[in-house]
Amino acid sequence: MRLAGPLRIVALIITMGLTWILVTILLGGPGGGLPRIQQFFTSPENSVTAEPRARKYKCGLPQPCPEEHLAFRIVSGAANVIGPKICLEDKMLMSSVKDNVGRGLNIALVNGVSGELLEARAFDMWAGGEWTTSNYTFSP
């Protein structure tokens, strides 16, 4: 009988597995070797649930703004594929979904006390500095 070949393969696989476990334990890191192995033998009732998602604040900011301050977020676009976005107090002022952005500089005129959008325009620097008013209807 030729058992030497299969025994060498089994020994090689066991050696590689133990080496992997030892390296992951020594190097640390999330989800190291030993917890993964223990995970196979535990029941689903004992598994740890994922932590809740971080709370998002106005305009998707990671922290809340101080009292009597307006929360705003300006996201630049990517060439002509993704348009820019301007958000103020959790209200999207300008975006490609609202179809009120253009190429160049997008400017939103906002009431500093109430946060109300007064006017939104795009200053097209590529066409020689022409103002373009979007299809968006403004309500004073």
Side-chain angles (χ1 to χ4, degrees), residues 29-108:
L34 208 53
R36 282 188 182 167
I37 292 173
Q38 290 174 348
Q39 197 174 33
F40 289 118
F41 299 111
T42 59
S43 62
E45 295 87 29
N46 297 340
S47 63
V48 179
T49 58
E51 292 186 23
R53 292 184 182 176
R55 182 168 181 231
K56 296 285 184 181
Y57 297 95
K58 290 182 180 177
C59 291
L61 297 175
Q63 299 175 352
C65 289
E67 290 294 321
E68 298 189 17
H69 285 78
L70 297 174
F72 73 93
R73 183 176 184 190
I74 300 173
V75 180
S76 175
N80 61 352
V81 180
I82 300 172
K85 299 174 188 168
I86 300 177
C87 175
L88 179 76
E89 286 296 308
D90 227 8
K91 185 173 127 187
M92 197 60 68
L93 299 180
M94 296 181 80
S95 71
S96 56
V97 173
K98 287 188 158 198
D99 197 27
N100 63 348
V101 294
R103 69 179 191 173
L105 297 175
N106 291 283
I107 300 172

Side-chain angles (χ1 to χ4, degrees), residues 116-119 137-140:
E116 175 186 346
L117 177 67
L118 301 176
E119 190 171 356
T137 56
F138 306 108
S139 56

Side-chain angles (χ1 to χ4, degrees), residues 2-25:
R2 292 234 183 233
L3 290 177
L7 284 177
R8 285 182 184 165
I9 294 174
V10 170
L12 179 67
I13 291 173
I14 289 174
T15 305
M16 287 175 40
L18 290 175
T19 305
W20 175 76
I21 291 171
L22 182 64
V23 168
T24 54
I25 289 173

